[in-house]
């Protein structure tokens, strides 16, 4: 309470000091030397030093060197923040001599009772350039006089300071400290940045090379009251551009923005910048703060758990789960066996989800731009999934028996393997249920991110885990009988449809030649499975025969698949307004046109994406509404790895697809749409 009151008193005192100095300046005589020093500089002494004598036609540098009487006293930057007072200078110069902009070192932050101050602790120097006219006779110039007014504060008290300073130009020499003081001044970027006021935030694009390490950045805005000084600042990297987002304060939009970006409170390093109104790109890789508010950790964990639970109804997971659940009824084992199977199945699911999540985080930490379900962007992984889906379909169809996914109870290893399989094939379906949780996982600390992946796995395993530990649930399962074999054969239908979808995906990723080669491999596997099934039914040793038949096809695929991979574009000629292919440049140009922009990110392996495109995006009423409003549409295809799209998704807080964004006309801030779309929702967007 005492600190709060003292800070408020200091703020009030600073305001009175500003008023006092302003009145004093208005009443002063024409001669600066006539000014009376009222307060002195005993708390923070000031010294005026020259960089040699002035030279006609050149810039002459004067230095104001401030030395506090002790470490508890501090001075202020030109924009002092929520409280304080910047330095004021009143000059007496020869005619034609002009004072340039004062140059400051990188300031520091001091937060007292929710008031942010921009200060300097210890000694600091402000350089002021003086432009000397070309026709100036510097040998006859009178001494240069300047009256300096500033504020000296501790954490509890503020005291006005002033001093009348003079430099004799005829006797001025270069102070040996000037070189060190110059090095302490924040250098100016050689390029102008852009800024835009969007909603309740100031967004800045600064041209900083990607190789420049920015540490823990903070931006000091020189424009008074434009931003909230205590607001959280967000930063993202987009190639050689640093994107900054700062909550707005009470100021109005300026014609020019200036400030200093600090690279860390411990280093006192940074650069000055100037920015003009212009387009500020979106996207980028967050490097500090957050470009958006993250959901709470507990909310993200609950979302991950619920999303995993819902995955059990997806067509590639439900057959595996249902048959594994019915195996408990058929086996009729003990309570201990049921619990064992449930634990092993859960361990397999959770391990697979955590392993995939850890691999994704490790790849991102190593600089590889990947997102959730990244494995489906690899042609070899998709071919392996295709072969696996065909094997499971054949097993469900009764062509052969495989313990891992059979209806028999073959122990913990079977349950563990089934859990691994269920988690691996479920990842493409996580989009509509896991958007917030997976997006948060990219920005949260690694242990919490891994906990989110574990929660996803636990949700996926929860139904079977409940069956294993709750006898009342198992008692409601139908009694074993011939119907179970028919049910298993029926479950071969959704798995077969999954296999057909994967064939289509293989062709989309690698081209038709790649898909035909993969089908040859699949054909060989199917023949081998028929041979295995026939031998199993006759009671003979089966699996060596599988190797004899399948291995030649596998070797063929190992050589032929890479050679047949075409890498053809996966982009469809979509039917809605002929969308542009996504790039940062295309998005920037579309927003610059002033037209509303609809951008969506999709992938051929994303079930939710394809459903949304069929039932909502490609509908005639949406096309008509967009064309009438002149909407620019942009499509980002993430079927295969695309680092630009991955960076953009990350900046939007999304770990994967689908993602739908709407930019109203003239707006720089997008509205993120739901992951389940309707034609009415899209058709109404231009009327908002």
């Amino acid at each position: 309470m005492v600190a709060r009151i003292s800070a408020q008193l200091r703020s009030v005192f600073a305001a009175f000091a500003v008023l006092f100095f302003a009145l004093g300046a208005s009443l002063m005589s024409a001669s600066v030397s006539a000014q009376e020093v009222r307060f002195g500089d005993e708390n923070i002494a000031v010294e005026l030093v020259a960089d040699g004598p002035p030279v006609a036609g050149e810039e002459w540098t004067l230095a104001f060197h401030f030395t506090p009487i002790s470490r508890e006293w501090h001075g202020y930057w030109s924009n002092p923040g929520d409280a304080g007072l910047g330095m004021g200078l009143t000059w007496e110069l020869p005619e034609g001599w002009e004072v340039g902009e004062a140059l400051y070192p990188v300031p520091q932050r001091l937060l007292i009772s929710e008031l942010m101050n921009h200060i300097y602790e210890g000694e600091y120097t402000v350089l002021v350039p003086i432009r000397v006219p070309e026709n100036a006779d510097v040998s006859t110039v009178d001494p240069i006089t300047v009256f300096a007014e500033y504020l000296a504060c501790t954490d509890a008290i503020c005291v006005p300071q002033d001093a009348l300073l003079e430099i004799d130009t005829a006797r001025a020499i270069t102070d040996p400290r000037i070189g060190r003081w110059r090095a302490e001044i924040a250098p100016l970027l050689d390029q102008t940045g852009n800024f835009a006021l969007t909603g309740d935030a100031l967004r800045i694009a600064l041209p900083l090379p990607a190789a420049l390490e920015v540490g823990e950045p903070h931006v000091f805005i020189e424009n008074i009251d434009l931003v909230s000084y205590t607001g959280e600042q967000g930063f993202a990297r987009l190639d050689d551009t640093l994107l900054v987002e700062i909550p707005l304060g009470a100021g109005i939009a300026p014609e020019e923005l200036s400030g200093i970006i600090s690279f860390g409170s411990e280093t006192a390093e940074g650069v000055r910048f100037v920015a003009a109104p212009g387009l500020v790109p979106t996207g980028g890789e967050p490097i500090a703060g957050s470009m958006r508010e993250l959901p709470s950790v507990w909310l993200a964990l609950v979302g991950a758990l619920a999303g995993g639970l819902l995955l059990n109804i997806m067509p590639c997971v439900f057959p595996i789960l249902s048959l594994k659940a019915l195996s408990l009824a058929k086996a009729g084992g003990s309570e201990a066996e049921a619990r064992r199977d449930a634990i092993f199945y859960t361990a397999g699911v959770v391990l697979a989800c955590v392993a995939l999540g850890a691999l994704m985080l490790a790849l991102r930490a190593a600089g590889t731009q990947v997102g959730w379900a990244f494995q489906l962007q690899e042609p070899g992984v998709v071919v392996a999934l295709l072969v696996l889906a065909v094997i499971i379909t054949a097993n469900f169809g009764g062509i052969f028996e495989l313990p891992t996914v059979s209806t028999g109870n073959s122990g913990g290893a079977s349950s563990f393997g089934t859990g691994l399989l269920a988690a691996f094939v479920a990842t493409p379906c996580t989009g509509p249920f896991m958007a917030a949780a997976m997006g948060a996982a990219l920005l949260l600390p690694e242990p919490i991110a891994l906990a989110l992946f574990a929660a996803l796995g636990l949700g996926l395993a929860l139904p079977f885990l409940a069956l294993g530990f709750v006898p009342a649930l198992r008692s409601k399962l139908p009694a074993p009988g011939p119907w179970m074999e028919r049910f298993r054969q029926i479950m071969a239908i959704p798995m077969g449809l999954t296999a057909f979808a994967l064939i289509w995906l293989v062709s989309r990723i690698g081209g038709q030649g790649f898909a035909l080669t993969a089908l040859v491999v699949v054909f060989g596997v199917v023949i081998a499975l028929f041979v295995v099934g026939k031998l199993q039914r006759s009671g003979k040793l089966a699996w060596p025969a599988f190797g004899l038949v399948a291995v030649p096809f596998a070797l063929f695929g190992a050589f032929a698949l890479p050679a047949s991979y075409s890498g053809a574009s996966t982009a469809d000629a979509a039917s809605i307004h002929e969308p542009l292919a996504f790039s940062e440049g295309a998005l920037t140009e579309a927003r610059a046109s002033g037209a509303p922009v609809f951008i969506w990110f999709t992938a051929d392996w994303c079930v939710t994406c394809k459903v949304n495109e069929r039932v909502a995006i490609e509908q005639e009423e949406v096309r008509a509404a967009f064309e009438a409003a002149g909407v620019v549409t942009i499509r980002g295809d993430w079927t295969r790895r695309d680092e630009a799209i991955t960076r953009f998704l990350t900046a939007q807080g999304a770990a994967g697809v689908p993602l739908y964004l709407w930019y109203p006309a003239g707006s720089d801030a997008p509205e993120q749409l739901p992951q389940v779309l309707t034609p009415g929702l899209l058709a109404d967007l231009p009327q908002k």
Side-chain angles (χ1 to χ4, degrees):
M1 178 63 71
V2 173
R4 178 184 293 274
I5 294 174
S6 65
Q8 292 173 342
L9 290 175
R10 186 178 67 179
S11 180
V12 172
F13 185 85
F16 276 110
V18 174
L19 178 62
F20 177 83
F21 289 153
L23 290 174
S26 65
L27 297 175
M28 61 180 262
S29 63
S31 174
V32 173
S33 59
Q35 288 296 294
E36 178 183 354
V37 174
R38 296 173 178 265
F39 306 106
D41 63 351
E42 64 178 20
N43 296 301
I44 300 182
V46 60
E47 176 186 8
L48 182 61
V49 176
D51 184 14
V55 177
E58 297 184 6
E59 191 174 80
W60 183 41
T61 299
L62 297 179
F64 292 81
H65 182 62
F66 296 90
T67 306
I69 190 174
S70 64
R71 291 289 301 179
E72 63 179 339
W73 292 92
H74 58 257
Y76 288 89
W77 186 46
S78 58
N79 180 350
D82 288 319
L85 184 70
M87 178 180 64
L89 300 175
T90 305
W91 295 85
E92 186 172 283
L93 293 171
E95 184 177 355
W97 292 43
E98 297 180 355
V99 179
E101 178 186 359
L103 306 177
Y104 288 80
V106 177
Q108 301 155 318
R109 288 175 287 167
L110 176 64
L111 183 64
I112 300 179
S113 296
E114 300 181 2
L115 296 176
M116 180 64 74
N117 302 271
H118 304 153
I119 67 164
Y120 295 103
E121 294 180 331
E123 297 185 19
Y124 66 99
T125 304
V126 180
L127 302 184
V128 179
I130 305 292
R131 288 182 286 274
V132 182
E134 292 186 1
N135 58 354
D137 185 358
V138 296
S139 62
T140 61
V141 172
D142 292 334
I144 302 298
T145 306
V146 58
F147 187 69
E149 303 163 291
Y150 52 100
L151 198 64
C153 292
T154 69
D155 290 351
I157 187 174
C158 288
V159 179
Q161 303 279 267
D162 56 10
L164 184 63
L165 307 171
E166 183 180 89
I167 285 286
D168 187 347
T169 57
R171 298 181 180 180
I173 59 174
T174 300
D175 191 288
R177 298 171 293 177
I178 283 287
R180 174 167 57 86
W181 293 340
R182 283 188 187 276
E184 294 173 353
I185 299 299
L188 179 65
L189 288 176
D190 58 358
Q191 299 181 57
T192 300
N194 288 342
F195 76 90
L197 273 60
T198 59
D200 57 355
L202 167 69
R203 301 188 70 249
I204 315 171
L206 297 178
L208 284 177
L212 179 62
E213 181 61 48
V214 297
E216 299 180 1
H218 182 85
V219 173
F220 296 90
I221 299 296
E222 194 165 8
N223 306 68
I224 302 294
D225 292 333
L226 177 61
V227 299
S228 169
Y229 302 121
T230 56
E232 181 183 5
Q233 299 185 356
F235 299 86
R237 272 285 191 193
L238 184 62
D239 298 326
D240 289 329
T241 300
L242 182 68
L243 303 178
V244 187
E245 187 173 296
I246 309 173
L248 284 174
I252 60 175
E255 295 183 359
E256 183 179 82
L257 185 76
S258 59
I260 293 177
I261 177 169
S262 168
F263 298 153
S265 58
E266 302 298 327
T267 63
E269 295 180 354
V271 294
R272 288 181 293 134
F273 65 87
V274 175
L279 291 174
V280 179
T282 58
E285 181 77 15
I287 60 172
S290 62
M291 302 304 285
R292 58 180 64 247
E293 184 180 357
L294 288 176
S296 71
V297 173
W298 288 111
L299 182 61
L301 286 171
V302 171
L305 185 70
L309 185 62
L310 288 172
L311 286 176
N312 287 284
I313 64 175
M314 301 308 290
C316 51
V317 178
F318 180 72
I320 300 173
L321 172 67
S322 59
L323 292 176
K324 192 61 187 173
L326 290 177
S327 70
L328 293 177
K330 182 177 180 180
S334 65
E335 293 291 327
E337 290 175 340
R339 289 194 294 268
R340 179 204 61 192
D341 275 1
I343 291 173
F344 273 91
Y345 177 83
T346 302
V349 172
V350 172
L351 178 62
C353 290
V354 172
L356 285 171
L359 180 58
M360 181 188 73
L361 295 176
L363 290 173
R364 292 179 67 87
T368 303
Q369 296 295 328
V370 296
W372 185 244
F374 65 93
Q375 69 274 16
L376 295 175
Q377 297 172 325
E378 299 296 333
V381 174
V382 178
V383 171
L385 274 176
L386 169 60
V387 173
L388 186 60
V390 169
I391 293 174
I392 297 173
T393 302
N395 174 255
F396 286 178
I399 294 174
F400 78 105
E401 294 298 327
L402 183 67
T404 301
V405 291
S406 69
T407 57
N409 185 7
S410 56
S414 171
S415 297
F416 183 80
T418 305
L420 291 174
L421 174 64
F424 190 72
V425 300
T427 51
C429 307
T430 56
F433 316 121
M434 294 291 297
M438 292 297 98
L442 299 182
L443 301 177
L444 290 170
E446 285 80 1
I448 300 178
L450 292 177
L452 289 178
F453 296 121
L456 170 64
L458 181 60
L460 180 58
L462 198 55
F464 192 74
L465 188 64
L467 285 172
F469 278 82
V470 182
L473 292 177
R474 290 200 308 277
S475 66
K476 296 183 181 299
L477 293 175
W483 68 269
M484 295 183 68
E485 185 62 27
R486 292 194 297 271
F487 181 76
R488 186 176 80 158
Q489 294 172 356
I490 292 173
M491 289 297 98
I493 296 175
M495 286 307 304
L497 293 175
T498 301
F500 277 111
L502 287 168
I503 293 173
W504 175 77
L505 179 58
V506 168
S507 69
R508 301 286 292 149
I509 290 181
Q512 292 184 355
F514 185 77
L516 289 173
T517 305
L519 285 177
V520 172
V521 176
V522 169
F523 178 72
V525 171
V526 171
I527 293 177
L529 293 177
F530 270 105
V531 173
V532 168
K534 186 175 181 179
L535 292 174
Q536 286 177 333
R537 286 187 290 273
S538 63
K540 298 179 181 179
L541 187 62
W543 291 108
F546 176 84
L548 290 174
V549 177
V551 167
F553 287 93
L555 292 175
F556 165 78
F559 290 97
L561 283 171
S564 62
Y565 179 75
S566 65
S569 173
T570 62
D572 279 328
S575 59
I576 173 173
H577 209 66
E578 296 185 357
L580 304 171
F582 170 79
S583 69
E584 287 286 349
L587 178 57
T588 301
E589 184 177 347
R591 290 164 53 199
S593 69
V597 179
F598 174 65
I599 179 171
W600 79 96
F601 295 89
T602 182
D604 288 339
W605 40 261
C606 172
V607 176
T608 308
C609 303
K610 294 302 159 186
V611 171
N612 281 332
E613 289 170 13
R614 293 291 184 269
V615 305
I617 296 177
E618 297 178 357
Q619 292 299 306
E620 184 60 35
E621 64 175 296
V622 177
R623 180 209 297 269
F626 278 19
E627 289 182 350
V631 176
V632 178
T633 56
I634 301 177
R635 181 177 184 267
D637 191 334
W638 206 47
T639 301
R640 290 181 300 183
R641 187 177 302 172
D642 187 309
E643 293 193 358
I645 291 179
T646 307
R647 285 195 301 268
F648 188 87
L649 292 174
T650 301
Q652 299 298 324
V657 292
L659 176 67
Y660 307 102
L661 299 177
W662 171 257
Y663 290 85
S667 173
D668 289 321
E671 174 188 352
Q672 188 163 322
L673 304 179
Q675 290 204 325
V676 177
L677 302 178
T678 64
L681 184 151
L682 294 180
D684 290 342
L685 288 175
Q687 279 71 51
K688 285 188 175 181

